[in-house]
Amino acid sequence: GESVGLHLPTLSVQEGDNSIINCAYSNSASDYFIWYKQESGKGPQFIIDIRSNMDKRQGQRVTVLLNKTVKHLSLQIAATQPGDSAVYFCAEISGGSYIPTFGRGTSLIVHP
Amino acid sequence: KAGVTQTPRYLIKTRGQQVTLSCSPISGHRSVSWYQQTPGQGLQFLFEYFSETQRNKGNFPGRFSGRQFSNSRSEMNVSTLELGDSALYLCASSSGKGGETQYFGPGTRLLVL
């Protein structure tokens, strides 16, 4: 049969705006979370991570927020630039597991 | 420190052929995982190798296999290629300890005609 395409959620922003990408994770036992950025034709690139004993972590222009109560993760990108255009994946790892579970991804489009 | 490298970057094969892809992990990393990425199915886990042993396996048919060498380099093989095997194959390395970040290579783009 014909396969169903994976239609990614898309976020379109103007250059200079702040972007917020959301991710709902599935396993309440997950204790480590990672955000990846994947540009067209490239492999996923590590951006930032956070462990479950924290609810916020900041990097350069990026902030990850973790809400364990509602199993929600978000990535905030400040002053978004055209080079930030990519697909962003969240990943969760539980209890010492070796293999992360990846979210479906969100496509970020930044308009100059 | 050099990142994860994969060879070749692009491949074109025909149905029924087999293919071998190679991955060199980050120096010091002992775990190598393989993923298949397609527009229709997203990122799907194939298998993970640690210390030359397959430690975890995804839900793929036996046509997909892999191995890891003593220097942690890994290969994956797909036999009897099907059109649906066309995908980006990604390799990721990590220290091998639980709950640690995986770092991805650039991928091998396989097209099956």
Side-chain angles (χ1 to χ4, degrees), chain B residues 47-107:
Chain B
F47 30 64
E48 183 232 1
Y49 285 86
F50 178 76
S51 292
E52 302 178 65
T53 301
Q54 188 180 87
R55 186 165 64 175
N56 287 281
K57 187 178 187 303
N59 189 26
F60 275 79
R63 299 187 297 109
F64 293 82
S65 63
R67 59 177 176 169
Q68 187 180 34
F69 302 95
S70 58
N71 61 358
S72 294
R73 191 178 68 84
S74 177
E75 290 180 347
M76 69 162 281
N77 183 275
V78 188
S79 63
T80 320
L81 284 165
E82 301 176 359
L83 296 179
D85 296 333
S86 294
L88 180 66
Y89 289 88
L90 292 161
C91 161
S93 78
S94 71
S95 65
K97 302 172 189 173
E100 296 294 327
T101 304
Q102 291 190 337
Y103 295 90
F104 284 85

Side-chain angles (χ1 to χ4, degrees), chain B residues 4-72:
Chain B
V4 179
T5 59
Q6 292 187 244
T7 57
R9 293 295 312 278
Y10 304 94
L11 266 179
I12 300 176
K13 293 285 187 178
T14 56
R15 279 181 299 173
Q17 288 187 309
Q18 73 165 11
V19 67
T20 299
L21 312 181
S22 181
C23 171
S24 292
I26 291 171
S27 178
H29 282 185
R30 297 172 63 194
S31 168
V32 173
S33 295
W34 288 91
Y35 295 85
Q36 181 194 68
Q37 188 178 40
T38 60
Q41 299 295 326
L43 200 63
Q44 293 190 288
F45 171 71
L46 281 154
F47 30 64
E48 183 232 1
Y49 285 86
F50 178 76
S51 292
E52 302 178 65
T53 301
Q54 188 180 87
R55 186 165 64 175
N56 287 281
K57 187 178 187 303
N59 189 26
F60 275 79
R63 299 187 297 109
F64 293 82
S65 63
R67 59 177 176 169
Q68 187 180 34
F69 302 95
S70 58
N71 61 358
S72 294

